[in-house]
């Protein structure tokens, strides 16, 4: 029998061989191979295995000799690698890339006349909330500024259970019946043979499906607009999309459409900016939300209700159960009933943002579904997918999903059961009394479905009332400003130019002809179609008389101020301290931020000898990251910047993206280098003193100098 090695092992020797090394500010202990060891002591706890066994060395696996094979008995190594191997769970089949935050909903006043939902009964009552924003098509690692719908999912932990309002930043959807959802998602995601494109609608499969799905035309107008490239989650609207019901204590039902209105107004980027932001900062949106919350600049939305009754629904020219239609705000005004504030970032992204499970079927007494066939299908899909994604039926035990009100039921066991019943009873009816019998149903407090009368033949059919596919698409288009209309045409041209099959391009144009002749013409010219197709046969003739709805334009619903926005100041050594401080003061007064971009991240020495650290080195801080820019180099500094291609891009892009540009006289050669010196317009403002900084910020409230766009196209 082999003799057990009776030495005291190699560990004490290895420990003895350690020495001290200095890495700039850090004094570290290194082992014989130069690896760094940091040990417990004082406030630093001892590292343990999952079983609680203290770990002596987390840098080296257990080996037979210093250069020998790894021993299978190394339980710490095996446990660590085993756990790591299983860190991933399936990503969401759609909306995989998301970002969540905690907050609360504050109710403005009693809505008892229209709903008995507990969260709407008392003025000032707050309800904890968790919100997850997402893109739809891309995988988890895709970039934030893909042209895509944004998910806007809100979980409200009410005193009568969780209510999930699982909405989007667009009030309509691509399809009318949930049975088409798998086809739609297959078509939009990467093509199955090649596995690309990632997070893009600009490919054949998507447009092929769309060109054969005329019901999607209204949604197409929205996704080709700048709505799908928002500047920030905080500057976009949210919508519950479907018609829901509110039900009061007397059982009276009122139809409702839910809206979230951002307090800071709407804002989007332009497409060329989006493309560049995705390279410069693929986490642009999540970083923006994280920073806003961390700096105490809590984003807010107001909850708006569009309320209407059966009578309105009957005379409305579209079916209120059709999720490809809106009810214009001008027809049914929005009643603002409360505010949503996001004031806390997650502690752990995986535990909260990844494991959160929103589900349209989570509603509370006082809120109810309608027969919208998309909503009915969703009510099955979310719970079903989460069983797989979260690995079992107990995902309601995960804190982010658990109700914050008392809950009692007899569901038990299953994978990872955390909240387990105590006692003998796990069924009812039972004859155990005096509280030992567990929970019982409550006809008074319990959820009652609204007793809508239903009858009819069993049919697999689409209602004729869903057949108007173009009228509201047209209404959306004509409600946009000229610049916004141009962006829709440009987006369609861009996307269809990526489509390799000419017949698909032409087919899409045949639908556009039913929306707006000019739009179709514009796109056809952009694609260089040799021949205009005839308009696609419409299931129902489009109604041309629908009025413009100004609420549908982003530009018409911009912010009243520059609050929450960011100016990037390109500076060098010798920057005029007076101007820099005046600009900073003007921005602070407005509630906006100044970020310094400089040749080196270490910073610059200003004209008075003071030091300003930079947030970005010029090649990592392109102007696309800012809402407006200021060019404040010294004359000497300008000479250096002229040799830096990214400084030229900083100016050229800011100009092309219609930004307001504040500048010092010393910066003028930069405009020349950027090729825009002939075009210095009213959007370019000389910053010569405190007054001009105030004037600059006042102009920035318009967010973009829109007239430049037409001038540039003219050139
Ligand atoms: C009005 C139409 C729709 C809207 C507004 C919408 C919205 C959303 C949102 C916001 C999410 C992400 C939730 C999160 O952040 O975790 C999501 C996920 C999802 N949606 Fe939808 N969706 C719609 C239609 C549908 C339809 C018709 C289906 C299927 C029949 C569906 C199936 C799913 C699935 C399976 C997920 C992933 C859920 C998870 O893994 O947790 N959606 N949807």
């Amino acid at each position: 029998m082999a003799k057990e090695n009776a030495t005291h092992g190699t560990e004490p020797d290895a420990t003895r061989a350690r020495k001290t090394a200095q890495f700039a500010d850090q004094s570290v202990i290194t082992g014989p191979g130069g690896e760094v060891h940091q040990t417990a002591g004082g406030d630093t706890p001892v590292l343990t295995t999952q079983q609680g066994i203290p770990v002596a060395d987390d840098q080296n696996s257990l080996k037979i000799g210093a250069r020998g094979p790894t021993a299978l008995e190394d339980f710490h190594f095996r446990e660590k690698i085993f756990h790591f191997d299983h860190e991933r769970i399936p990503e969401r089949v759609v909306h995989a890339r998301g970002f969540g935050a905690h907050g609360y909903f504050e109710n403005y006043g009693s809505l008892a006349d229209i709903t008995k939902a507990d969260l709407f009964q008392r003025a000032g009552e707050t309800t904890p909330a968790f919100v997850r924003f997402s893109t739809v098509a891309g995988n988890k690692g895709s970039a934030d500024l893909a042209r895509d719908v944004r998910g806007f999912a809100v979980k409200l932990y009410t005193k009568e259970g969780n209510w999930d309002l699982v909405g989007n930043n667009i009030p309509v959807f691509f399809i009318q019946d949930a049975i088409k959802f798998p086809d739609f998602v297959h078509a939009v995601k990467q093509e199955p043979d090649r596995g690309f494109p990632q997070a893009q609608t600009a490919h054949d499969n998507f447009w092929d499906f769309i060109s054969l799905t005329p019901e999607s035309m209204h949604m197409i107008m929205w996704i080709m607009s700048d709505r799908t490239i928002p500047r920030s989650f905080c500057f976009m609207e949210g919508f519950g999309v479907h018609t829901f019901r509110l039900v009061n204590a007397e059982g009276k039902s009122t139809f409702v459409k839910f809206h979230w209105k951002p307090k800071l107004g709407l804002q989007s980027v332009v497409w060329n900016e989006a493309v560049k932001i995705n390279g410069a900062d693929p986490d642009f949106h999540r970083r923006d939300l994280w920073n806003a919350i961390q700096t105490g600049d809590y984003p807010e939305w107001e909850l708006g209700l569009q309320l209407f009754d059966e009578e309105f629904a009957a005379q409305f020219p579209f079916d209120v159960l059709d999720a490809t239609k809106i009810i214009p705000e001008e027809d049914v005004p929005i009643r603002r009933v409360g505010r949503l504030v996001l004031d806390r970032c997650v502690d752990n992204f995986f535990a909260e943002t990844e494991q959160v499970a929103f589900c349209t079927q989570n509603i509370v007494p006082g809120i109810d579904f309608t027969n919208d066939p998309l909503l009915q299908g969703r009510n099955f899909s979310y719970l079903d997918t989460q069983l797989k994604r979260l690995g079992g039926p107990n995902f309601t035990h995960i804190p982010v999903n658990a109700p914050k009100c008392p809950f009692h039921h007899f569901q038990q066991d299953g994978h990872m059961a955390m909240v387990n019943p105590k006692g003998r009873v796990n069924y009812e009816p039972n004859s155990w009394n005096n509280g030992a019998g567990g929970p019982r149903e409550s006809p008074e407090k319990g959820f009652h479905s609204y007793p809508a009368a239903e009858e009819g033949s069993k049919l697999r059919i689409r209602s004729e009332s869903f057949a108007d596919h173009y009228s509201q698409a047209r209404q959306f288009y004509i409600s946009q400003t000229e610049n916004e209309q141009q962006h829709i045409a440009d987006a369609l041209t861009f996307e269809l130019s990526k489509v390799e099959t000419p017949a698909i391009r032409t087919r899409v144009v045949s639908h556009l002809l039913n929306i707006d002749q000019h739009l179709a013409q514009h796109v056809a010219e952009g694609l260089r179609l040799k021949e205009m197709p005839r308009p696609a046969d419409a299931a129902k003739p489009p109604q041309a008389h629908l009025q413009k709805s100004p609420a549908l334009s982003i530009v018409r619903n911009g912010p009243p101020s520059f609050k929450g926005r960011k100016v990037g100041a390109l500076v060098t050594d010798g920057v005029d301290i007076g101007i820099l401080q005046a600009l900073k003061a003007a921005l602070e007064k407005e509630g906006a931020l100044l970020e310094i971009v400089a040749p080196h991240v270490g910073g610059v020495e200003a004209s008075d000898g003071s030091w300003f650290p930079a947030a970005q080195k010029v090649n990592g801080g392109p102007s696309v990251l800012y809402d407006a820019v200021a060019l404040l180099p010294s004359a000497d500094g300008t000479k250096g910047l002229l040799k830096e291609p990214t400084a030229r891009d900083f100016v050229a892009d800011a100009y092309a993206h219609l930004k307001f540009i504040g500048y010092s006289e010393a910066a003028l050669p930069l405009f020349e280098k950027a090729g825009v010196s002939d075009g210095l317009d009213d959007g370019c403002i000389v910053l010569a003193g405190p007054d001009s900084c105030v004037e600059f910020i006042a102009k920035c409230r318009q967010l973009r100098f829109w007239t430049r766009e037409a001038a540039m196209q003219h050139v």
Side-chain angles (χ1 to χ4, degrees), residues 256-331:
V256 61
K257 291 248 187 201
F258 295 107
H259 298 246
W260 295 108
K261 294 280 188 187
K263 277 274 185 76
L264 293 178
L266 302 186
Q267 186 183 344
S268 283
V269 301
V270 295
W271 175 240
N272 183 263
E273 227 178 342
V275 170
K276 290 174 176 167
I277 291 173
N278 282 337
D281 185 4
D283 304 308
F284 187 68
H285 282 152
R286 51 185 58 202
R287 191 188 308 282
D288 174 85
L289 183 60
W290 173 271
N291 286 343
I293 295 176
Q294 296 292 16
T295 54
D297 215 353
Y298 302 139
E300 277 189 36
W301 290 259
E302 285 192 299
L303 178 65
L305 308 182
Q306 271 184 307
L307 300 164
F308 55 98
D309 55 17
E310 299 273 2
E311 204 180 322
F312 173 88
Q315 58 80 34
F316 186 59
F318 306 98
D319 198 322
V320 299
L321 301 183
D322 173 358
T324 67
K325 305 297 185 296
I326 58 160
I327 299 177
E329 289 183 29
E330 290 77 8
D331 292 0

Side-chain angles (χ1 to χ4, degrees), residues 90-100 130-136 149-154 165-182 184-185 219 239-242 323-324 352-360 372-390 395:
E91 64 174 38
R92 287 166 177 80
V93 60
V94 281
H95 294 263
R97 183 168 178 82
F99 199 68
F130 186 79
V131 177
R132 184 175 178 273
F133 301 106
S134 49
T135 48
V136 177
V149 186
R150 296 301 179 289
F152 194 131
V154 183
L165 186 55
V166 197
N168 280 341
N169 75 329
I170 288 181
V172 288
F173 204 64
F174 295 90
I175 49 169
Q176 295 170 324
D177 189 316
I179 199 168
K180 295 311 297 169
F181 193 70
F184 159 67
V185 173
M219 182 67 166
F239 303 91
V241 182
H242 313 281
T324 67
E352 295 154 80
T353 304
E354 199 55 19
Q355 292 197 119
V356 69
F358 295 95
C359 184
T360 51
D372 176 339
L374 201 65
L375 176 59
Q376 299 275 326
R378 293 179 76 194
N379 286 344
F380 164 71
S381 181
Y382 289 74
L383 190 63
D384 181 52
T385 195
Q386 283 150 3
L387 177 70
K388 170 92 174 260
R389 182 167 72 79
L390 296 164
F395 56 81

